[in-house]
Amino acid sequence: MSYRRITDPKPTPAIRFTWNGRVVEARRGDSVATALLLAGVETTKTSAVSGVGRGPYCMMGVCFECLVEIDGVPNRQACLTPVADGMAVRTETGAPDLDGAS
Amino acid sequence: MSTTGQDVLRDLIIIGAGPAGLAAARVAGECGLDAVLLDEQAAPGGQIWRAIGAVSEHRPADLTLFGKSYAAGIAALADTRAVEVRAGAVVWQIDRKSDGWRVIFSRDGGAAQVRSRAVLIATGAMERPVPIPGWTLPGVTTVGALQLALKQSGAFPVGRVVIAGSGPLPLLLGEQFRRARIPLHAILDTQPGGAFGAALPHLPLAGLGAPETLAEGLTLLRARDRSGVRVERNVEPLEILGSRRVEGIRYRDASGTHEIAADHVALHEGVVPNTQLTRLLGLPHRWNEAQRCFELEVLADGRTALDGVFVAGDGGGVLGWRAARASGALAALSVACDLGRIPESAQALQGFAPQARLRGERRLRRFLDALFPVPDWLRHVSDETILCRCEEVSAGAVRKAVADGCMGPNQLKAFLRAGMGPCQGRMCALSVAETMAAARGLNPREIGLAHVRPPIKPVSLDELASLHEEAKP
């Protein structure tokens, strides 16, 4: 399931960023969270406890479900971050894997 | 990093550029205060006026879609004219220095601090979390989230969208969807039966006190009735169904238990103050029984128990945007008077109209509190319901902790980690207080809320290392 945009006669400039390596198109003014939802991405992070997928709930920065890794920096709130050209966004994986640990 | 130039003490730091913060900025500018306005969003407007600048410039046709209250934000944008605005600034600490207050925030990959004689916290409110089984599934959002996506990007969910909740916001969203021709699968109205009767005694004063707001509400109700969308009334939502994402919702109403398919569920049970910053400062909060939430004890004219700390807007008690404009102005007038920039007579004169506005909106609030009471089912959720989303702590686990001797939310952190995840209790504080209170046979005011420690937003070591003193440009 996805989000769609109301047809806009004068759309803002297109922005391209990557989500887990694949190119996603967005528009200037979108937050990373909204851009992902528009691209059909509903799971921004996996829970640190059980690993289940979570997606944006509040879209205003209080629920912390939209946490993603942006340009190598984790724990970024996607709903508070405007999209920018060339951004590399990745799923925030709950508890990190320590090399060699089970 | 090195300190550049002199460390300057500003007059006022306003945190939050919603209706209250913007009004405060305008008055601060008019009174000649050297003020800085910080906001974590990309542009001023807060939640209700999200993306108002971009919409009025690039998508003006959408203004009629969002309604008059949204369009009122256009004029408010000019409020920033005489203050320094820093958008994208995420405040994570406030502390007191010898000559004033220090606010620390992250911005553009680094952290910075600004010091001032006074701080005005105008960080607003949030929707009350609605813990029901399945509420953590992807595809479940707040009603406000859908509104924000629509404002920010013209984006809406496709498929079968179900609104489950009650209050002014779901009515407004339903109408906005209707105007935009976005299909709504069903509205599950959770307003308890008999609420209108209970609210009726407050209606006359509400009508006198805030006629425009009341009229808006009635218009929205009529529009919903005429819209043809399926509305089920007196609903108690039981469970959001689905394994990987939302697939449906099960609910109970007067005629029994039902299930409908859904692709998106938007929840809403009222709005509560965002108290992270005010609790970080250790300010006293009290329990609001009518709204079932904790709110800051605000003294007159925006003052708090701390000298130099002021609060305005919904963060000090939910009264809506018109009241926020008034309290923002009043708080800025208090600051200006305290700093000797305006005489008390000017403060009283300019404060006259905002005070009247506040009185009127308080009368409306009594009506709305009675009309949309917090439903009982929200206070007595099933054992399997997740209360703390971040740490996946269920209501049953909390009840067991109470049975094992856990007395309050601070202790609960040690028992179960509830409140220790990324959101730091924003999503679970109220429901934990209700659940622990019910389990202990007490009122939530006797349970209280957990301590809030800095940083109140995630901070990287890079940002900490880059913290530097501000020099005035």
Side-chain angles (χ1 to χ4, degrees):
Chain A
M1 278 298 141
S2 201
Y3 279 53
R4 218 170 34 220
R5 224 185 279 267
I6 299 176
T7 315
D8 188 359
K10 286 194 313 181
T12 49
I15 303 256
R16 298 170 100 190
F17 66 98
T18 59
W19 167 249
N20 291 331
R22 92 163 141 105
V23 176
V24 176
E25 282 235 354
R27 300 218 162 267
R28 168 117 43 88
D30 292 343
S31 67
V32 171
T34 312
L36 288 174
L37 288 167
L38 284 162
V41 174
E42 289 190 312
T43 300
T44 36
K45 77 172 200 197
T46 56
S47 149
V49 177
S50 69
V52 294
R54 295 284 179 89
Y57 173 78
C58 76
M59 294 291 261
M60 58 169 279
V62 294
C63 76
F64 289 76
E65 299 285 17
C66 68
L67 294 182
V68 287
E69 179 195 290
I70 300 181
D71 294 336
V73 179
N75 296 314
R76 304 280 304 272
Q77 293 181 280
C79 71
L80 294 179
T81 311
V83 290
D85 268 312
M87 232 179 205
V89 187
R90 307 194 76 85
T91 311
E92 169 112 342
T93 49
D97 249 329
L98 296 175
D99 282 344
S102 60
Chain B
M1 287 193 94
S2 60
T3 308
T4 53
Q6 280 182 313
D7 172 31
V8 174
L9 187 70
R10 318 297 287 268
D11 285 334
L12 173 65
I13 297 171
I14 302 169
I15 305 174
L22 287 171
R26 185 191 77 242
V27 171
E30 285 165 358
C31 295
L33 295 178
D34 172 27
V36 182
L37 175 61
L38 303 174
D39 190 86
E40 67 181 358
Q41 297 284 344
Q47 311 315 325
I48 182 176
W49 294 333
R50 176 72 70 85
I52 182 67
V55 170
S56 60
E57 202 184 315
H58 298 293
R59 293 156 38 205
D62 285 354
L63 290 172
T64 39
L65 150 64
F66 297 124
K68 282 204 292 267
S69 289
Y70 184 67
I74 297 173
L77 285 179
D79 289 351
T80 58
R81 195 170 30 213
V83 303
E84 184 192 333
V85 179
R86 314 241 190 127
V90 181
V91 172
W92 48 266
Q93 160 71 314
I94 305 179
D95 56 9
R96 194 193 312 246
K97 306 311 264 184
S98 51
D99 53 356
W101 292 92
R102 178 175 69 155
V103 174
I104 308 181
F105 56 95
S106 293
R107 189 169 183 245
D108 290 336
Q113 52 193 355
V114 185
R115 295 185 314 113
S116 64
R117 298 180 171 89
V119 176
L120 170 55
I121 299 172
T123 47
M126 48 181 264
E127 282 164 276
R128 181 190 310 274
V130 186
I132 57 176
W135 73 304
T136 54
L137 286 169
V140 181
T141 65
T142 58
V143 159
L146 294 188
Q147 219 163 42
L148 292 170
L150 205 56
K151 287 171 180 169
Q152 185 124 35
S153 302
F156 63 92
V158 297
R160 295 159 298 190
V161 181
V162 173
I163 295 177
S166 75
L169 221 58
L171 282 176
L172 183 58
L173 181 71
E175 175 60 9
Q176 288 164 342
F177 268 34
R178 191 195 64 81
R179 289 178 192 161
R181 297 206 189 87
I182 298 167
L184 254 185
H185 189 54
I187 295 173
L188 303 180
D189 190 334
T190 59
Q191 184 186 31
F196 185 69
L200 209 48
H202 300 284
L203 183 53
L205 279 180
L208 284 173
E212 324 96 318
T213 316
L214 196 59
E216 272 165 20
L218 291 172
T219 309
L220 291 174
L221 263 173
R222 273 205 302 273
R224 186 181 81 173
D225 288 339
R226 283 197 314 251
S227 67
V229 176
R230 169 183 174 184
V231 177
E232 305 294 348
R233 289 187 172 75
N234 213 337
V235 165
E236 176 189 341
L238 296 172
E239 185 180 354
I240 297 177
L241 307 166
S243 50
R244 293 264 196 74
R245 68 169 319 282
V246 176
E247 283 159 28
I249 177 166
R250 194 162 54 89
Y251 66 95
R252 178 161 51 215
D253 66 8
S255 67
T257 304
H258 315 273
E259 255 179 52
I260 51 176
D263 301 305
H264 296 270
V265 174
L267 303 170
H268 184 87
E269 295 295 339
V271 170
V272 296
N274 183 342
T275 55
Q276 293 301 110
L277 275 177
T278 49
R279 280 155 58 210
L280 176 68
L281 285 166
L283 286 164
H285 290 70
R286 63 156 178 255
W287 174 251
N288 180 325
E289 185 69 32
Q291 292 183 2
R292 299 202 73 87
C293 63
F294 288 92
E295 58 187 31
L296 175 73
E297 286 189 21
V298 190
L299 309 174
D301 301 339
R303 294 177 194 288
T304 69
L306 283 171
D307 210 23
V309 174
F310 298 77
V311 164
D314 280 354
V318 174
L319 287 173
W321 72 268
R322 290 187 175 92
R325 300 288 286 156
S327 64
L330 287 170
L333 288 171
S334 297
V335 174
C337 193
D338 281 6
L339 296 183
R341 305 306 168 80
I342 61 170
E344 268 184 39
S345 55
Q347 180 187 13
L349 198 61
Q350 291 180 58
F352 189 77
Q355 296 281 14
R357 167 60 71 180
L358 277 180
R359 279 195 298 274
E361 296 293 335
R362 282 192 190 107
R363 289 189 189 114
L364 173 69
R365 185 58 34 173
R366 269 177 230 124
F367 173 66
L368 291 178
D369 285 349
L371 192 61
F372 302 114
V374 180
D376 274 340
W377 51 261
L378 194 52
R379 299 159 45 192
H380 304 289
V381 300
S382 64
D383 278 346
E384 92 236 44
T385 310
I386 290 181
L387 294 188
C388 168
R389 296 173 63 114
C390 298
E391 298 293 329
E392 298 190 45
V393 179
S394 69
V398 173
R399 290 174 183 129
K400 176 161 191 312
V402 171
D404 288 344
C406 183
M407 305 277 280
N410 290 301
Q411 211 177 2
L412 191 68
K413 286 183 182 180
F415 269 68
L416 294 173
R417 281 194 59 87
M420 290 180 74
C423 92
Q424 291 288 289
R426 289 169 176 86
M427 289 288 109
C428 66
L430 285 180
S431 45
V432 160
E434 292 273 19
T435 304
M436 294 190 89
R440 290 188 58 199
L442 300 170
N443 183 282
R445 76 166 59 84
E446 295 158 281
I447 298 291
L449 295 175
H451 299 309
V452 171
R453 309 280 184 218
I456 64 161
K457 286 262 174 157
V459 177
S460 70
L461 287 173
D462 267 349
E463 286 165 339
L464 269 177
S466 76
L467 191 55
H468 58 280
E469 294 288 324
E470 279 278 325
K472 190 168 179 178

PDB file of all heavy atoms in Angstrom, chain B residues 20-42:
ATOM      1  N   ALA B  20       1.713  30.094  18.705  1.00  0.00           N
ATOM      2  CA  ALA B  20       2.138  30.823  19.909  1.00  0.00           C
ATOM      3  C   ALA B  20       3.510  31.454  19.715  1.00  0.00           C
ATOM      4  O   ALA B  20       3.710  32.647  20.006  1.00  0.00           O
ATOM      5  CB  ALA B  20       2.161  29.889  21.113  1.00  0.00           C
ATOM      6  N   GLY B  21       4.454  30.683  19.239  1.00  0.00           N
ATOM      7  CA  GLY B  21       5.810  31.193  19.056  1.00  0.00           C
ATOM      8  C   GLY B  21       5.860  32.337  18.064  1.00  0.00           C
ATOM      9  O   GLY B  21       6.598  33.309  18.240  1.00  0.00           O
ATOM     10  N   LEU B  22       5.069  32.235  17.001  1.00  0.00           N
ATOM     11  CA  LEU B  22       5.054  33.291  15.988  1.00  0.00           C
ATOM     12  C   LEU B  22       4.459  34.571  16.565  1.00  0.00           C
ATOM     13  O   LEU B  22       4.980  35.668  16.349  1.00  0.00           O
ATOM     14  CB  LEU B  22       4.264  32.835  14.756  1.00  0.00           C
ATOM     15  CG  LEU B  22       4.975  31.793  13.883  1.00  0.00           C
ATOM     16  CD1 LEU B  22       4.028  31.248  12.809  1.00  0.00           C
ATOM     17  CD2 LEU B  22       6.213  32.381  13.222  1.00  0.00           C
ATOM     18  N   ALA B  23       3.362  34.434  17.326  1.00  0.00           N
ATOM     19  CA  ALA B  23       2.775  35.629  17.935  1.00  0.00           C
ATOM     20  C   ALA B  23       3.761  36.270  18.901  1.00  0.00           C
ATOM     21  O   ALA B  23       3.896  37.496  18.966  1.00  0.00           O
ATOM     22  CB  ALA B  23       1.473  35.276  18.656  1.00  0.00           C
ATOM     23  N   ALA B  24       4.462  35.438  19.659  1.00  0.00           N
ATOM     24  CA  ALA B  24       5.462  35.961  20.590  1.00  0.00           C
ATOM     25  C   ALA B  24       6.578  36.665  19.825  1.00  0.00           C
ATOM     26  O   ALA B  24       7.065  37.725  20.250  1.00  0.00           O
ATOM     27  CB  ALA B  24       6.040  34.823  21.427  1.00  0.00           C
ATOM     28  N   ALA B  25       6.965  36.106  18.687  1.00  0.00           N
ATOM     29  CA  ALA B  25       8.023  36.733  17.886  1.00  0.00           C
ATOM     30  C   ALA B  25       7.588  38.111  17.412  1.00  0.00           C
ATOM     31  O   ALA B  25       8.359  39.078  17.427  1.00  0.00           O
ATOM     32  CB  ALA B  25       8.366  35.841  16.693  1.00  0.00           C
ATOM     33  N   ARG B  26       6.324  38.201  17.000  1.00  0.00           N
ATOM     34  CA  ARG B  26       5.843  39.487  16.507  1.00  0.00           C
ATOM     35  C   ARG B  26       5.896  40.537  17.614  1.00  0.00           C
ATOM     36  O   ARG B  26       6.426  41.636  17.434  1.00  0.00           O
ATOM     37  CB  ARG B  26       4.406  39.357  15.988  1.00  0.00           C
ATOM     38  CG  ARG B  26       3.865  40.627  15.347  1.00  0.00           C
ATOM     39  CD  ARG B  26       2.368  40.558  15.099  1.00  0.00           C
ATOM     40  NE  ARG B  26       1.611  40.768  16.331  1.00  0.00           N
ATOM     41  CZ  ARG B  26       0.804  39.864  16.875  1.00  0.00           C
ATOM     42  NH1 ARG B  26       0.617  38.698  16.300  1.00  0.00           N
ATOM     43  NH2 ARG B  26       0.178  40.130  17.991  1.00  0.00           N
ATOM     44  N   VAL B  27       5.377  40.169  18.775  1.00  0.00           N
ATOM     45  CA  VAL B  27       5.342  41.126  19.882  1.00  0.00           C
ATOM     46  C   VAL B  27       6.753  41.431  20.368  1.00  0.00           C
ATOM     47  O   VAL B  27       7.085  42.575  20.688  1.00  0.00           O
ATOM     48  CB  VAL B  27       4.457  40.579  21.022  1.00  0.00           C
ATOM     49  CG1 VAL B  27       4.574  41.438  22.260  1.00  0.00           C
ATOM     50  CG2 VAL B  27       3.011  40.480  20.560  1.00  0.00           C
ATOM     51  N   ALA B  28       7.604  40.419  20.403  1.00  0.00           N
ATOM     52  CA  ALA B  28       9.001  40.653  20.815  1.00  0.00           C
ATOM     53  C   ALA B  28       9.654  41.672  19.895  1.00  0.00           C
ATOM     54  O   ALA B  28      10.349  42.592  20.338  1.00  0.00           O
ATOM     55  CB  ALA B  28       9.777  39.342  20.796  1.00  0.00           C
ATOM     56  N   GLY B  29       9.415  41.498  18.599  1.00  0.00           N
ATOM     57  CA  GLY B  29       9.964  42.446  17.638  1.00  0.00           C
ATOM     58  C   GLY B  29       9.424  43.847  17.853  1.00  0.00           C
ATOM     59  O   GLY B  29      10.167  44.832  17.852  1.00  0.00           O
ATOM     60  N   GLU B  30       8.106  43.936  18.070  1.00  0.00           N
ATOM     61  CA  GLU B  30       7.492  45.250  18.278  1.00  0.00           C
ATOM     62  C   GLU B  30       8.034  45.938  19.526  1.00  0.00           C
ATOM     63  O   GLU B  30       8.110  47.167  19.579  1.00  0.00           O
ATOM     64  CB  GLU B  30       5.970  45.105  18.404  1.00  0.00           C
ATOM     65  CG  GLU B  30       5.265  44.832  17.083  1.00  0.00           C
ATOM     66  CD  GLU B  30       3.839  44.332  17.285  1.00  0.00           C
ATOM     67  OE1 GLU B  30       3.422  44.173  18.452  1.00  0.00           O
ATOM     68  OE2 GLU B  30       3.161  44.090  16.267  1.00  0.00           O
ATOM     69  N   CYS B  31       8.396  45.139  20.532  1.00  0.00           N
ATOM     70  CA  CYS B  31       8.906  45.724  21.777  1.00  0.00           C
ATOM     71  C   CYS B  31      10.411  45.948  21.734  1.00  0.00           C
ATOM     72  O   CYS B  31      11.022  46.332  22.732  1.00  0.00           O
ATOM     73  CB  CYS B  31       8.575  44.820  22.962  1.00  0.00           C
ATOM     74  SG  CYS B  31       6.814  44.668  23.271  1.00  0.00           S
ATOM     75  N   GLY B  32      11.016  45.661  20.595  1.00  0.00           N
ATOM     76  CA  GLY B  32      12.446  45.900  20.447  1.00  0.00           C
ATOM     77  C   GLY B  32      13.321  44.883  21.145  1.00  0.00           C
ATOM     78  O   GLY B  32      14.497  45.166  21.443  1.00  0.00           O
ATOM     79  N   LEU B  33      12.804  43.678  21.406  1.00  0.00           N
ATOM     80  CA  LEU B  33      13.617  42.653  22.048  1.00  0.00           C
ATOM     81  C   LEU B  33      14.550  42.010  21.035  1.00  0.00           C
ATOM     82  O   LEU B  33      14.184  41.816  19.883  1.00  0.00           O
ATOM     83  CB  LEU B  33      12.726  41.570  22.664  1.00  0.00           C
ATOM     84  CG  LEU B  33      11.821  41.983  23.816  1.00  0.00           C
ATOM     85  CD1 LEU B  33      10.976  40.796  24.265  1.00  0.00           C
ATOM     86  CD2 LEU B  33      12.640  42.507  24.982  1.00  0.00           C
ATOM     87  N   ASP B  34      15.732  41.660  21.478  1.00  0.00           N
ATOM     88  CA  ASP B  34      16.671  40.914  20.647  1.00  0.00           C
ATOM     89  C   ASP B  34      16.325  39.434  20.817  1.00  0.00           C
ATOM     90  O   ASP B  34      16.707  38.805  21.799  1.00  0.00           O
ATOM     91  CB  ASP B  34      18.097  41.190  21.126  1.00  0.00           C
ATOM     92  CG  ASP B  34      19.124  40.300  20.452  1.00  0.00           C
ATOM     93  OD1 ASP B  34      18.862  39.857  19.319  1.00  0.00           O
ATOM     94  OD2 ASP B  34      20.177  40.027  21.063  1.00  0.00           O
ATOM     95  N   ALA B  35      15.562  38.908  19.877  1.00  0.00           N
ATOM     96  CA  ALA B  35      14.998  37.573  20.045  1.00  0.00           C
ATOM     97  C   ALA B  35      15.443  36.607  18.967  1.00  0.00           C
ATOM     98  O   ALA B  35      15.674  36.988  17.812  1.00  0.00           O
ATOM     99  CB  ALA B  35      13.469  37.650  20.063  1.00  0.00           C
ATOM    100  N   VAL B  36      15.561  35.326  19.356  1.00  0.00           N
ATOM    101  CA  VAL B  36      15.880  34.243  18.427  1.00  0.00           C
ATOM    102  C   VAL B  36      14.716  33.264  18.461  1.00  0.00           C
ATOM    103  O   VAL B  36      14.239  32.916  19.545  1.00  0.00           O
ATOM    104  CB  VAL B  36      17.161  33.494  18.866  1.00  0.00           C
ATOM    105  CG1 VAL B  36      17.505  32.408  17.861  1.00  0.00           C
ATOM    106  CG2 VAL B  36      18.314  34.465  19.028  1.00  0.00           C
ATOM    107  N   LEU B  37      14.271  32.835  17.286  1.00  0.00           N
ATOM    108  CA  LEU B  37      13.164  31.877  17.195  1.00  0.00           C
ATOM    109  C   LEU B  37      13.726  30.571  16.665  1.00  0.00           C
ATOM    110  O   LEU B  37      14.236  30.506  15.549  1.00  0.00           O
ATOM    111  CB  LEU B  37      12.078  32.421  16.270  1.00  0.00           C
ATOM    112  CG  LEU B  37      10.878  31.534  15.947  1.00  0.00           C
ATOM    113  CD1 LEU B  37      10.102  31.169  17.200  1.00  0.00           C
ATOM    114  CD2 LEU B  37       9.961  32.249  14.958  1.00  0.00           C
ATOM    115  N   LEU B  38      13.633  29.506  17.477  1.00  0.00           N
ATOM    116  CA  LEU B  38      14.132  28.192  17.070  1.00  0.00           C
ATOM    117  C   LEU B  38      12.965  27.271  16.762  1.00  0.00           C
ATOM    118  O   LEU B  38      11.973  27.256  17.498  1.00  0.00           O
ATOM    119  CB  LEU B  38      14.955  27.561  18.211  1.00  0.00           C
ATOM    120  CG  LEU B  38      16.137  28.349  18.749  1.00  0.00           C
ATOM    121  CD1 LEU B  38      16.726  27.639  19.961  1.00  0.00           C
ATOM    122  CD2 LEU B  38      17.190  28.529  17.676  1.00  0.00           C
ATOM    123  N   ASP B  39      13.084  26.475  15.698  1.00  0.00           N
ATOM    124  CA  ASP B  39      12.032  25.513  15.381  1.00  0.00           C
ATOM    125  C   ASP B  39      12.652  24.304  14.707  1.00  0.00           C
ATOM    126  O   ASP B  39      13.542  24.450  13.877  1.00  0.00           O
ATOM    127  CB  ASP B  39      10.977  26.145  14.462  1.00  0.00           C
ATOM    128  CG  ASP B  39       9.765  25.255  14.309  1.00  0.00           C
ATOM    129  OD1 ASP B  39       8.860  25.332  15.162  1.00  0.00           O
ATOM    130  OD2 ASP B  39       9.708  24.469  13.347  1.00  0.00           O
ATOM    131  N   GLU B  40      12.157  23.118  15.038  1.00  0.00           N
ATOM    132  CA  GLU B  40      12.797  21.921  14.499  1.00  0.00           C
ATOM    133  C   GLU B  40      12.326  21.565  13.095  1.00  0.00           C
ATOM    134  O   GLU B  40      12.980  20.793  12.400  1.00  0.00           O
ATOM    135  CB  GLU B  40      12.616  20.723  15.442  1.00  0.00           C
ATOM    136  CG  GLU B  40      11.195  20.223  15.578  1.00  0.00           C
ATOM    137  CD  GLU B  40      11.084  19.034  16.547  1.00  0.00           C
ATOM    138  OE1 GLU B  40      12.106  18.572  17.071  1.00  0.00           O
ATOM    139  OE2 GLU B  40       9.952  18.549  16.769  1.00  0.00           O
ATOM    140  N   GLN B  41      11.200  22.110  12.666  1.00  0.00           N
ATOM    141  CA  GLN B  41      10.732  21.841  11.316  1.00  0.00           C
ATOM    142  C   GLN B  41      11.526  22.657  10.295  1.00  0.00           C
ATOM    143  O   GLN B  41      12.253  23.571  10.651  1.00  0.00           O
ATOM    144  CB  GLN B  41       9.238  22.196  11.193  1.00  0.00           C
ATOM    145  CG  GLN B  41       8.317  21.374  12.075  1.00  0.00           C
ATOM    146  CD  GLN B  41       8.089  19.974  11.562  1.00  0.00           C
ATOM    147  OE1 GLN B  41       8.366  19.675  10.408  1.00  0.00           O
ATOM    148  NE2 GLN B  41       7.603  19.097  12.426  1.00  0.00           N
ATOM    149  N   ALA B  42      11.321  22.304   9.015  1.00  0.00           N
ATOM    150  CA  ALA B  42      12.071  22.979   7.955  1.00  0.00           C
ATOM    151  C   ALA B  42      11.644  24.437   7.781  1.00  0.00           C
ATOM    152  O   ALA B  42      12.413  25.251   7.253  1.00  0.00           O
ATOM    153  CB  ALA B  42      11.903  22.222   6.639  1.00  0.00           C
TER     154      ALA B  42
END
